[in-house]
Amino acid sequence: EMEPHFNSMFELYARCLTLHDQPEVLHLTCVAMCKVVPYLGSNHTPQFGALLPSAMQAIRILLVTDEEKACTSLELFDALLECEVAIVVPHLSSLLALCLEVTKTESLENSTRVKFMTFLSWLVSTKKKAIQKLQLVDPILEVLMRLMACPDGDEDDEVTERPGSYAG
């Protein structure tokens, strides 16, 4: 039973997520947090939810140092959407901003951008009303329209690996 250890684990996660100069620690912390998600209950929402802004910052740092680890770290939010959507809701605007930022950043690998677009798509499909209420539809459409209007470059790429093709 992990329940008795959650408070100390959450404190450890919080400390580890401040180690911005240690990308491996940031990545492993996000992975560890992801593994705990299925065991969370609604009583853990405040404590675990407080960690999410730091986890998003960790992903931003990982995007610079190791895109693959950033994508793996994003799986924390996948798990939260599957199990504990309520934890994500207060951070919806920030999470959408992160996904849109990655999606439109051409210097990132196409596979990274597509991963974040896929997550964005899932987020929109699961939290439609909240996104409308927060007036986030326009920023999403703006980024997607810009992607669809851009040429995709090499036609030999897999369609699913080109953000513009995925957006359209």
Side-chain angles (χ1 to χ4, degrees), residues 16-87:
C16 289
L17 289 171
T18 64
L19 303 174
H20 295 170
D21 61 336
Q22 296 183 40
E24 188 65 21
V25 172
L26 297 175
H27 172 249
L28 292 175
T29 302
C30 290
V31 170
M33 289 172 67
C34 185
K35 300 296 183 191
V36 169
V37 168
Y39 303 99
L40 298 176
S42 57
N43 54 325
H44 303 113
T45 299
Q47 299 144 303
F48 200 83
L51 299 170
L52 298 185
S54 297
M56 284 184 263
Q57 180 60 30
I59 291 170
R60 281 188 171 89
I61 291 167
L62 289 167
L63 284 164
V64 174
T65 61
D66 189 329
E67 289 181 38
E68 190 173 321
K69 287 181 179 175
C71 289
T72 305
S73 296
L74 182 67
E75 291 174 12
L76 164 63
F77 293 95
D78 278 331
L80 285 168
L81 278 183
E82 284 182 26
C83 301
E84 288 295 331
V85 177
I87 294 176

Side-chain angles (χ1 to χ4, degrees), residues 5-20:
H5 306 287
F6 276 168
N7 286 338
S8 58
M9 289 169 60
F10 296 165
E11 289 173 15
L12 177 62
Y13 296 157
R15 284 195 304 270
C16 289
L17 289 171
T18 64
L19 303 174
H20 295 170

Side-chain angles (χ1 to χ4, degrees), residues 140-159:
I140 293 168
L141 290 176
E142 180 183 321
V143 170
L144 294 179
M145 295 302 270
R146 192 174 324 145
L147 276 176
M148 289 188 300
C150 289
D152 285 324
D154 188 0
E155 292 300 320
D156 292 334
D157 288 350
E158 285 292 318
V159 172

